[in-house]
């Protein structure tokens, strides 16, 4: 197989999860993702976006990790978790995928807005990188150029 690099942008979303979900994931129960309503809504929204996670014959490719995020709520906030002035630690699911760098900026903005609309946090952490290169099969590049 011939591997080439293609220009993509990274989409990374931080999503809070309950301690129970984190515990199940840490114990190797991957079905905990399917049982979590928030993660399910995120994955459904992203699967409905065909521009995400295309790697040749593999579609909807993503990476995930579970970890913790810390923050202090400031005066005037309306937090989902935590109280003003108090340091809060939240179990977090981090979802990462990629999309073609040629995707129109208005489509990227619409995607981010759909995620914001379903995200439980007042200010979601959503990262969109500038262009970077990832490996891709040459067959996928040729198919894309032909279409």
């Amino acid at each position: 197989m011939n591997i080439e690099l293609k220009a993509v942008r990274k989409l990374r979303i931080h999503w809070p999860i309950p301690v129970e979900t984190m515990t199940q994931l840490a114990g190797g129960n991957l079905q905990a993702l399917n049982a979590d309503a928030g993660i399910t809504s995120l994955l459904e929204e992203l699967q409905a976006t065909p521009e995400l996670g295309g790697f040749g014959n593999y579609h909807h490719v993503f990476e995930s990790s579970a970890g913790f995020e810390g923050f202090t709520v400031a005066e005037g906030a309306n937090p989902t978790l935590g109280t003003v002035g108090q340091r809060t630690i939240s179990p977090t699911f981090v979802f990462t995928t990629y999309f073609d760098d040629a995707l129109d900026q208005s489509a990227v903005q619409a995607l981010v807005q759909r995620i914001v609309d379903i995200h439980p946090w007042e200010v979601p952490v959503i990262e969109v990188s500038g262009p970077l290169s990832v490996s891709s099969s040459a067959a996928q590049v040729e198919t894309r150029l032909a279409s």
Side-chain angles (χ1 to χ4, degrees):
M1 170 179 281
N2 188 20
I3 298 292
E4 295 183 9
L5 295 178
K6 83 176 199 177
V8 297
R9 294 175 71 188
K10 182 189 298 187
L11 173 67
R12 191 169 172 182
I13 304 161
H14 300 243
W15 195 281
I17 56 175
V19 171
E20 299 80 30
T21 301
M22 174 68 90
T23 302
Q24 290 176 8
L25 290 172
N29 180 6
L30 300 181
Q31 292 306 314
L33 293 178
N34 295 329
D36 185 284
I39 298 298
T40 298
S41 68
L42 172 64
L43 294 177
E44 286 174 353
E45 182 63 45
L46 296 170
Q47 189 164 351
T49 307
E51 298 87 0
L52 294 178
F55 284 83
N57 292 329
Y58 298 89
H59 307 282
H60 311 295
V61 174
F62 71 92
E63 303 159 6
S64 67
S65 61
F68 298 93
E69 284 189 68
F71 55 91
T72 302
V73 178
E75 193 68 44
N78 184 22
T80 305
L81 180 65
T83 57
V84 172
Q86 184 178 44
R87 181 85 172 146
T88 302
I89 303 295
S90 171
T92 303
F93 174 81
V94 180
F95 173 94
T96 304
T97 192
Y98 302 87
F99 59 90
D100 194 304
D101 181 46
L103 187 62
D104 180 76
Q105 185 60 29
S106 63
V108 174
Q109 186 62 40
L111 169 62
V112 169
Q113 187 61 54
R114 289 196 314 271
I115 295 165
V116 167
D117 290 345
I118 64 170
H119 201 288
W121 284 348
E122 180 179 25
V123 181
V125 177
I126 301 170
E127 305 169 39
V128 179
S129 76
L132 54 109
S133 297
V134 298
S135 59
S136 178
S137 67
Q140 188 240 354
V141 173
E142 293 166 8
T143 302
R144 199 178 116 178
L145 293 175
S147 51

